[in-house]
Amino acid sequence: MCKALEDIREESRKQGEDAGKKVGMEKGKRVGVKIGKKAGLEIAMKLTKLLIEDGRVEDLKKATENKKYQTRLLKEYQLI
């Protein structure tokens, strides 16, 4: 095979590889976000359940409006 064709072939291979990596990274990000959302929802549901079981409905209400308080409760219940 002549040098020019080898160069074109190599450049095409590299472009295909780069495009595949980009697609893979984008898919990986989507999967990671989906997993993170699911985990976050599970933690929030666990906190909700525990607060209700402990009769702390007012704390639950406050946690829905105050992120710092929510984090404090998550730490208190050792969920994070």
Side-chain angles (χ1 to χ4, degrees), residues 3-43:
K3 174 74 170 131
L5 287 177
E6 287 179 17
D7 291 346
I8 291 170
R9 181 176 164 201
E10 180 59 25
E11 181 60 28
S12 294
R13 185 200 62 75
K14 185 178 181 321
Q15 287 175 356
E17 184 178 293
D18 290 346
K21 286 179 182 178
K22 183 177 179 183
V23 169
M25 291 291 289
E26 290 171 2
K27 183 176 181 182
K29 286 179 186 177
R30 286 193 305 270
V31 169
V33 167
K34 186 176 180 179
I35 291 169
K37 285 181 178 181
K38 183 178 178 182
L41 180 59
E42 288 175 4
I43 290 170

mmCIF file of all heavy atoms in Angstrom, residues 3-43:
data_model
loop_
_atom_site.group_PDB
_atom_site.id
_atom_site.type_symbol
_atom_site.label_atom_id
_atom_site.label_comp_id
_atom_site.label_asym_id
_atom_site.label_seq_id
_atom_site.Cartn_x
_atom_site.Cartn_y
_atom_site.Cartn_z
ATOM 1 N N LYS A 3 2.190 5.093 0.718
ATOM 2 C CA LYS A 3 2.272 5.902 1.944
ATOM 3 C C LYS A 3 1.040 6.791 2.111
ATOM 4 O O LYS A 3 0.495 6.912 3.214
ATOM 5 C CB LYS A 3 3.566 6.736 1.909
ATOM 6 C CG LYS A 3 3.700 7.723 3.035
ATOM 7 C CD LYS A 3 4.031 7.029 4.333
ATOM 8 C CE LYS A 3 4.394 8.070 5.383
ATOM 9 N NZ LYS A 3 3.717 7.906 6.619
ATOM 10 N N ALA A 4 0.575 7.413 1.025
ATOM 11 C CA ALA A 4 -0.586 8.308 1.093
ATOM 12 C C ALA A 4 -1.828 7.546 1.560
ATOM 13 O O ALA A 4 -2.582 8.032 2.405
ATOM 14 C CB ALA A 4 -0.829 8.974 -0.260
ATOM 15 N N LEU A 5 -2.049 6.349 1.038
ATOM 16 C CA LEU A 5 -3.202 5.552 1.451
ATOM 17 C C LEU A 5 -3.067 5.094 2.903
ATOM 18 O O LEU A 5 -4.052 5.057 3.647
ATOM 19 C CB LEU A 5 -3.375 4.346 0.531
ATOM 20 C CG LEU A 5 -3.897 4.653 -0.877
ATOM 21 C CD1 LEU A 5 -3.945 3.373 -1.702
ATOM 22 C CD2 LEU A 5 -5.265 5.296 -0.828
ATOM 23 N N GLU A 6 -1.871 4.739 3.311
ATOM 24 C CA GLU A 6 -1.642 4.358 4.703
ATOM 25 C C GLU A 6 -1.944 5.527 5.634
ATOM 26 O O GLU A 6 -2.552 5.340 6.696
ATOM 27 C CB GLU A 6 -0.198 3.897 4.889
ATOM 28 C CG GLU A 6 0.093 2.545 4.294
ATOM 29 C CD GLU A 6 1.549 2.126 4.464
ATOM 30 O OE1 GLU A 6 2.254 2.708 5.309
ATOM 31 O OE2 GLU A 6 1.964 1.205 3.759
ATOM 32 N N ASP A 7 -1.531 6.720 5.247
ATOM 33 C CA ASP A 7 -1.799 7.913 6.051
ATOM 34 C C ASP A 7 -3.297 8.181 6.158
ATOM 35 O O ASP A 7 -3.820 8.483 7.241
ATOM 36 C CB ASP A 7 -1.087 9.136 5.467
ATOM 37 C CG ASP A 7 0.428 9.076 5.613
ATOM 38 O OD1 ASP A 7 0.914 8.222 6.395
ATOM 39 O OD2 ASP A 7 1.125 9.878 4.953
ATOM 40 N N ILE A 8 -4.006 8.057 5.030
ATOM 41 C CA ILE A 8 -5.462 8.273 5.033
ATOM 42 C C ILE A 8 -6.142 7.227 5.916
ATOM 43 O O ILE A 8 -7.026 7.548 6.713
ATOM 44 C CB ILE A 8 -6.018 8.222 3.597
ATOM 45 C CG1 ILE A 8 -5.541 9.443 2.804
ATOM 46 C CG2 ILE A 8 -7.546 8.146 3.606
ATOM 47 C CD1 ILE A 8 -5.839 9.378 1.315
ATOM 48 N N ARG A 9 -5.710 5.989 5.777
ATOM 49 C CA ARG A 9 -6.283 4.904 6.581
ATOM 50 C C ARG A 9 -6.046 5.150 8.071
ATOM 51 O O ARG A 9 -6.960 5.000 8.895
ATOM 52 C CB ARG A 9 -5.654 3.576 6.166
ATOM 53 C CG ARG A 9 -6.194 2.405 6.903
ATOM 54 C CD ARG A 9 -5.597 1.128 6.382
ATOM 55 N NE ARG A 9 -5.842 0.085 7.345
ATOM 56 C CZ ARG A 9 -5.153 -1.021 7.418
ATOM 57 N NH1 ARG A 9 -4.184 -1.255 6.589
ATOM 58 N NH2 ARG A 9 -5.441 -1.927 8.325
ATOM 59 N N GLU A 10 -4.848 5.543 8.425
ATOM 60 C CA GLU A 10 -4.520 5.806 9.831
ATOM 61 C C GLU A 10 -5.321 6.991 10.370
ATOM 62 O O GLU A 10 -5.827 6.947 11.491
ATOM 63 C CB GLU A 10 -3.019 6.050 9.992
ATOM 64 C CG GLU A 10 -2.574 6.341 11.416
ATOM 65 C CD GLU A 10 -2.891 5.235 12.415
ATOM 66 O OE1 GLU A 10 -3.028 4.064 12.021
ATOM 67 O OE2 GLU A 10 -3.010 5.557 13.613
ATOM 68 N N GLU A 11 -5.454 8.040 9.562
ATOM 69 C CA GLU A 11 -6.225 9.211 9.994
ATOM 70 C C GLU A 11 -7.702 8.843 10.177
ATOM 71 O O GLU A 11 -8.335 9.253 11.146
ATOM 72 C CB GLU A 11 -6.085 10.356 8.980
ATOM 73 C CG GLU A 11 -6.831 11.613 9.360
ATOM 74 C CD GLU A 11 -6.398 12.244 10.679
ATOM 75 O OE1 GLU A 11 -5.236 12.082 11.088
ATOM 76 O OE2 GLU A 11 -7.251 12.898 11.322
ATOM 77 N N SER A 12 -8.233 8.047 9.263
ATOM 78 C CA SER A 12 -9.630 7.601 9.380
ATOM 79 C C SER A 12 -9.826 6.754 10.630
ATOM 80 O O SER A 12 -10.821 6.893 11.340
ATOM 81 C CB SER A 12 -10.032 6.799 8.146
ATOM 82 O OG SER A 12 -10.032 7.616 7.001
ATOM 83 N N ARG A 13 -8.884 5.865 10.903
ATOM 84 C CA ARG A 13 -8.962 5.029 12.100
ATOM 85 C C ARG A 13 -8.956 5.887 13.354
ATOM 86 O O ARG A 13 -9.756 5.710 14.272
ATOM 87 C CB ARG A 13 -7.789 4.043 12.144
ATOM 88 C CG ARG A 13 -7.872 3.054 13.325
ATOM 89 C CD ARG A 13 -6.534 2.430 13.662
ATOM 90 N NE ARG A 13 -5.528 3.387 14.072
ATOM 91 C CZ ARG A 13 -5.473 4.000 15.274
ATOM 92 N NH1 ARG A 13 -6.396 3.780 16.172
ATOM 93 N NH2 ARG A 13 -4.503 4.834 15.563
ATOM 94 N N LYS A 14 -8.071 6.893 13.368
ATOM 95 C CA LYS A 14 -7.958 7.781 14.532
ATOM 96 C C LYS A 14 -9.252 8.582 14.722
ATOM 97 O O LYS A 14 -9.732 8.730 15.842
ATOM 98 C CB LYS A 14 -6.771 8.729 14.386
ATOM 99 C CG LYS A 14 -6.533 9.576 15.617
ATOM 100 C CD LYS A 14 -5.316 10.452 15.445
ATOM 101 C CE LYS A 14 -4.998 11.304 16.645
ATOM 102 N NZ LYS A 14 -6.119 11.889 17.344
ATOM 103 N N GLN A 15 -9.822 9.076 13.632
ATOM 104 C CA GLN A 15 -11.072 9.827 13.731
ATOM 105 C C GLN A 15 -12.194 8.945 14.264
ATOM 106 O O GLN A 15 -12.987 9.377 15.104
ATOM 107 C CB GLN A 15 -11.451 10.409 12.364
ATOM 108 C CG GLN A 15 -10.583 11.568 11.931
ATOM 109 C CD GLN A 15 -10.902 12.046 10.521
ATOM 110 O OE1 GLN A 15 -11.730 11.472 9.824
ATOM 111 N NE2 GLN A 15 -10.232 13.114 10.112
ATOM 112 N N GLY A 16 -12.258 7.717 13.771
ATOM 113 C CA GLY A 16 -13.272 6.784 14.256
ATOM 114 C C GLY A 16 -13.089 6.464 15.734
ATOM 115 O O GLY A 16 -14.055 6.407 16.499
ATOM 116 N N GLU A 17 -11.860 6.279 16.133
ATOM 117 C CA GLU A 17 -11.555 5.994 17.539
ATOM 118 C C GLU A 17 -11.945 7.175 18.418
ATOM 119 O O GLU A 17 -12.570 7.008 19.470
ATOM 120 C CB GLU A 17 -10.063 5.692 17.678
ATOM 121 C CG GLU A 17 -9.642 5.283 19.073
ATOM 122 C CD GLU A 17 -8.163 4.962 19.125
ATOM 123 O OE1 GLU A 17 -7.747 3.962 18.509
ATOM 124 O OE2 GLU A 17 -7.428 5.718 19.806
ATOM 125 N N ASP A 18 -11.594 8.389 17.977
ATOM 126 C CA ASP A 18 -11.938 9.589 18.744
ATOM 127 C C ASP A 18 -13.452 9.758 18.865
ATOM 128 O O ASP A 18 -13.966 10.092 19.943
ATOM 129 C CB ASP A 18 -11.324 10.837 18.098
ATOM 130 C CG ASP A 18 -9.805 10.886 18.229
ATOM 131 O OD1 ASP A 18 -9.243 10.114 19.041
ATOM 132 O OD2 ASP A 18 -9.178 11.699 17.511
ATOM 133 N N ALA A 19 -14.161 9.512 17.754
ATOM 134 C CA ALA A 19 -15.625 9.619 17.777
ATOM 135 C C ALA A 19 -16.212 8.575 18.729
ATOM 136 O O ALA A 19 -17.142 8.868 19.491
ATOM 137 C CB ALA A 19 -16.192 9.442 16.366
ATOM 138 N N GLY A 20 -15.666 7.358 18.706
ATOM 139 C CA GLY A 20 -16.142 6.308 19.613
ATOM 140 C C GLY A 20 -15.909 6.653 21.075
ATOM 141 O O GLY A 20 -16.772 6.416 21.917
ATOM 142 N N LYS A 21 -14.758 7.232 21.351
ATOM 143 C CA LYS A 21 -14.465 7.647 22.731
ATOM 144 C C LYS A 21 -15.450 8.708 23.190
ATOM 145 O O LYS A 21 -15.949 8.667 24.324
ATOM 146 C CB LYS A 21 -13.043 8.180 22.842
ATOM 147 C CG LYS A 21 -11.981 7.113 22.799
ATOM 148 C CD LYS A 21 -10.588 7.724 22.889
ATOM 149 C CE LYS A 21 -9.504 6.670 22.790
ATOM 150 N NZ LYS A 21 -8.162 7.261 22.818
ATOM 151 N N LYS A 22 -15.748 9.669 22.299
ATOM 152 C CA LYS A 22 -16.677 10.746 22.653
ATOM 153 C C LYS A 22 -18.065 10.182 22.963
ATOM 154 O O LYS A 22 -18.682 10.544 23.970
ATOM 155 C CB LYS A 22 -16.758 11.765 21.520
ATOM 156 C CG LYS A 22 -17.628 12.944 21.831
ATOM 157 C CD LYS A 22 -17.625 13.966 20.710
ATOM 158 C CE LYS A 22 -18.534 15.129 21.068
ATOM 159 N NZ LYS A 22 -18.616 16.113 20.004
ATOM 160 N N VAL A 23 -18.532 9.290 22.115
ATOM 161 C CA VAL A 23 -19.840 8.663 22.331
ATOM 162 C C VAL A 23 -19.839 7.880 23.644
ATOM 163 O O VAL A 23 -20.779 7.960 24.436
ATOM 164 C CB VAL A 23 -20.217 7.746 21.144
ATOM 165 C CG1 VAL A 23 -21.425 6.881 21.469
ATOM 166 C CG2 VAL A 23 -20.484 8.573 19.897
ATOM 167 N N GLY A 24 -18.754 7.155 23.891
ATOM 168 C CA GLY A 24 -18.648 6.380 25.126
ATOM 169 C C GLY A 24 -18.652 7.259 26.368
ATOM 170 O O GLY A 24 -19.304 6.938 27.365
ATOM 171 N N MET A 25 -17.935 8.377 26.296
ATOM 172 C CA MET A 25 -17.897 9.296 27.441
ATOM 173 C C MET A 25 -19.277 9.891 27.709
ATOM 174 O O MET A 25 -19.710 9.982 28.858
ATOM 175 C CB MET A 25 -16.895 10.423 27.183
ATOM 176 C CG MET A 25 -15.450 9.968 27.176
ATOM 177 S SD MET A 25 -14.866 9.457 28.804
ATOM 178 C CE MET A 25 -14.776 11.022 29.611
ATOM 179 N N GLU A 26 -19.975 10.286 26.645
ATOM 180 C CA GLU A 26 -21.313 10.854 26.809
ATOM 181 C C GLU A 26 -22.275 9.836 27.411
ATOM 182 O O GLU A 26 -23.048 10.160 28.312
ATOM 183 C CB GLU A 26 -21.829 11.371 25.468
ATOM 184 C CG GLU A 26 -21.092 12.609 24.978
ATOM 185 C CD GLU A 26 -21.432 13.001 23.554
ATOM 186 O OE1 GLU A 26 -22.287 12.347 22.918
ATOM 187 O OE2 GLU A 26 -20.828 13.977 23.071
ATOM 188 N N LYS A 27 -22.198 8.611 26.941
ATOM 189 C CA LYS A 27 -23.063 7.556 27.488
ATOM 190 C C LYS A 27 -22.711 7.300 28.953
ATOM 191 O O LYS A 27 -23.592 7.148 29.796
ATOM 192 C CB LYS A 27 -22.926 6.273 26.682
ATOM 193 C CG LYS A 27 -23.852 5.180 27.150
ATOM 194 C CD LYS A 27 -23.780 3.944 26.284
ATOM 195 C CE LYS A 27 -24.753 2.890 26.799
ATOM 196 N NZ LYS A 27 -24.693 1.664 26.018
ATOM 197 N N GLY A 28 -21.420 7.273 29.255
ATOM 198 C CA GLY A 28 -20.983 7.065 30.633
ATOM 199 C C GLY A 28 -21.487 8.148 31.565
ATOM 200 O O GLY A 28 -21.914 7.876 32.689
ATOM 201 N N LYS A 29 -21.467 9.389 31.096
ATOM 202 C CA LYS A 29 -21.978 10.497 31.913
ATOM 203 C C LYS A 29 -23.466 10.332 32.175
ATOM 204 O O LYS A 29 -23.929 10.528 33.301
ATOM 205 C CB LYS A 29 -21.715 11.835 31.215
ATOM 206 C CG LYS A 29 -20.285 12.278 31.261
ATOM 207 C CD LYS A 29 -20.110 13.599 30.528
ATOM 208 C CE LYS A 29 -18.643 13.990 30.438
ATOM 209 N NZ LYS A 29 -18.461 15.242 29.672
ATOM 210 N N ARG A 30 -24.219 9.971 31.120
ATOM 211 C CA ARG A 30 -25.670 9.783 31.290
ATOM 212 C C ARG A 30 -25.963 8.671 32.293
ATOM 213 O O ARG A 30 -26.831 8.808 33.154
ATOM 214 C CB ARG A 30 -26.336 9.485 29.948
ATOM 215 C CG ARG A 30 -26.463 10.677 29.031
ATOM 216 C CD ARG A 30 -27.395 10.395 27.855
ATOM 217 N NE ARG A 30 -27.018 9.225 27.086
ATOM 218 C CZ ARG A 30 -26.199 9.218 26.047
ATOM 219 N NH1 ARG A 30 -25.638 10.332 25.650
ATOM 220 N NH2 ARG A 30 -25.949 8.091 25.399
ATOM 221 N N VAL A 31 -25.235 7.584 32.182
ATOM 222 C CA VAL A 31 -25.429 6.455 33.102
ATOM 223 C C VAL A 31 -25.068 6.882 34.523
ATOM 224 O O VAL A 31 -25.796 6.589 35.476
ATOM 225 C CB VAL A 31 -24.605 5.226 32.660
ATOM 226 C CG1 VAL A 31 -24.592 4.151 33.732
ATOM 227 C CG2 VAL A 31 -25.146 4.664 31.355
ATOM 228 N N GLY A 32 -23.964 7.610 34.662
ATOM 229 C CA GLY A 32 -23.536 8.068 35.985
ATOM 230 C C GLY A 32 -24.556 8.998 36.625
ATOM 231 O O GLY A 32 -24.854 8.883 37.818
ATOM 232 N N VAL A 33 -25.107 9.905 35.840
ATOM 233 C CA VAL A 33 -26.132 10.821 36.359
ATOM 234 C C VAL A 33 -27.359 10.035 36.794
ATOM 235 O O VAL A 33 -27.929 10.276 37.866
ATOM 236 C CB VAL A 33 -26.500 11.888 35.304
ATOM 237 C CG1 VAL A 33 -27.751 12.642 35.693
ATOM 238 C CG2 VAL A 33 -25.333 12.863 35.107
ATOM 239 N N LYS A 34 -27.754 9.068 35.986
ATOM 240 C CA LYS A 34 -28.928 8.246 36.319
ATOM 241 C C LYS A 34 -28.710 7.485 37.628
ATOM 242 O O LYS A 34 -29.587 7.457 38.494
ATOM 243 C CB LYS A 34 -29.199 7.263 35.179
ATOM 244 C CG LYS A 34 -30.462 6.469 35.329
ATOM 245 C CD LYS A 34 -30.699 5.595 34.103
ATOM 246 C CE LYS A 34 -31.960 4.786 34.252
ATOM 247 N NZ LYS A 34 -32.214 3.951 33.068
ATOM 248 N N ILE A 35 -27.539 6.898 37.782
ATOM 249 C CA ILE A 35 -27.215 6.162 39.005
ATOM 250 C C ILE A 35 -27.198 7.109 40.206
ATOM 251 O O ILE A 35 -27.732 6.783 41.271
ATOM 252 C CB ILE A 35 -25.869 5.427 38.864
ATOM 253 C CG1 ILE A 35 -26.000 4.279 37.852
ATOM 254 C CG2 ILE A 35 -25.369 4.909 40.213
ATOM 255 C CD1 ILE A 35 -24.676 3.670 37.438
ATOM 256 N N GLY A 36 -26.605 8.293 40.021
ATOM 257 C CA GLY A 36 -26.542 9.271 41.109
ATOM 258 C C GLY A 36 -27.911 9.751 41.543
ATOM 259 O O GLY A 36 -28.190 9.887 42.736
ATOM 260 N N LYS A 37 -28.790 9.993 40.573
ATOM 261 C CA LYS A 37 -30.154 10.433 40.910
ATOM 262 C C LYS A 37 -30.886 9.348 41.687
ATOM 263 O O LYS A 37 -31.580 9.640 42.666
ATOM 264 C CB LYS A 37 -30.926 10.785 39.644
ATOM 265 C CG LYS A 37 -30.521 12.101 39.033
ATOM 266 C CD LYS A 37 -31.349 12.395 37.791
ATOM 267 C CE LYS A 37 -30.979 13.731 37.191
ATOM 268 N NZ LYS A 37 -31.792 14.050 36.002
ATOM 269 N N LYS A 38 -30.726 8.113 41.246
ATOM 270 C CA LYS A 38 -31.396 7.001 41.929
ATOM 271 C C LYS A 38 -30.887 6.872 43.361
ATOM 272 O O LYS A 38 -31.679 6.713 44.297
ATOM 273 C CB LYS A 38 -31.164 5.697 41.168
ATOM 274 C CG LYS A 38 -31.881 4.519 41.770
ATOM 275 C CD LYS A 38 -31.679 3.250 40.957
ATOM 276 C CE LYS A 38 -32.387 2.086 41.622
ATOM 277 N NZ LYS A 38 -32.179 0.836 40.913
ATOM 278 N N ALA A 39 -29.577 6.973 43.542
ATOM 279 C CA ALA A 39 -28.994 6.867 44.887
ATOM 280 C C ALA A 39 -29.465 8.010 45.770
ATOM 281 O O ALA A 39 -29.804 7.806 46.942
ATOM 282 C CB ALA A 39 -27.473 6.847 44.799
ATOM 283 N N GLY A 40 -29.517 9.217 45.204
ATOM 284 C CA GLY A 40 -29.984 10.374 45.967
ATOM 285 C C GLY A 40 -31.428 10.233 46.400
ATOM 286 O O GLY A 40 -31.797 10.568 47.533
ATOM 287 N N LEU A 41 -32.245 9.727 45.497
ATOM 288 C CA LEU A 41 -33.653 9.517 45.824
ATOM 289 C C LEU A 41 -33.811 8.481 46.929
ATOM 290 O O LEU A 41 -34.608 8.655 47.858
ATOM 291 C CB LEU A 41 -34.428 9.081 44.576
ATOM 292 C CG LEU A 41 -35.911 8.820 44.758
ATOM 293 C CD1 LEU A 41 -36.625 10.063 45.280
ATOM 294 C CD2 LEU A 41 -36.526 8.380 43.435
ATOM 295 N N GLU A 42 -33.031 7.414 46.855
ATOM 296 C CA GLU A 42 -33.089 6.381 47.888
ATOM 297 C C GLU A 42 -32.697 6.942 49.255
ATOM 298 O O GLU A 42 -33.327 6.624 50.269
ATOM 299 C CB GLU A 42 -32.203 5.205 47.510
ATOM 300 C CG GLU A 42 -32.762 4.382 46.364
ATOM 301 C CD GLU A 42 -31.821 3.282 45.893
ATOM 302 O OE1 GLU A 42 -30.749 3.083 46.502
ATOM 303 O OE2 GLU A 42 -32.165 2.624 44.893
ATOM 304 N N ILE A 43 -31.677 7.786 49.292
ATOM 305 C CA ILE A 43 -31.245 8.397 50.557
ATOM 306 C C ILE A 43 -32.336 9.321 51.091
ATOM 307 O O ILE A 43 -32.652 9.303 52.287
ATOM 308 C CB ILE A 43 -29.919 9.149 50.371
ATOM 309 C CG1 ILE A 43 -28.779 8.156 50.138
ATOM 310 C CG2 ILE A 43 -29.610 10.040 51.575
ATOM 311 C CD1 ILE A 43 -27.478 8.798 49.707
#
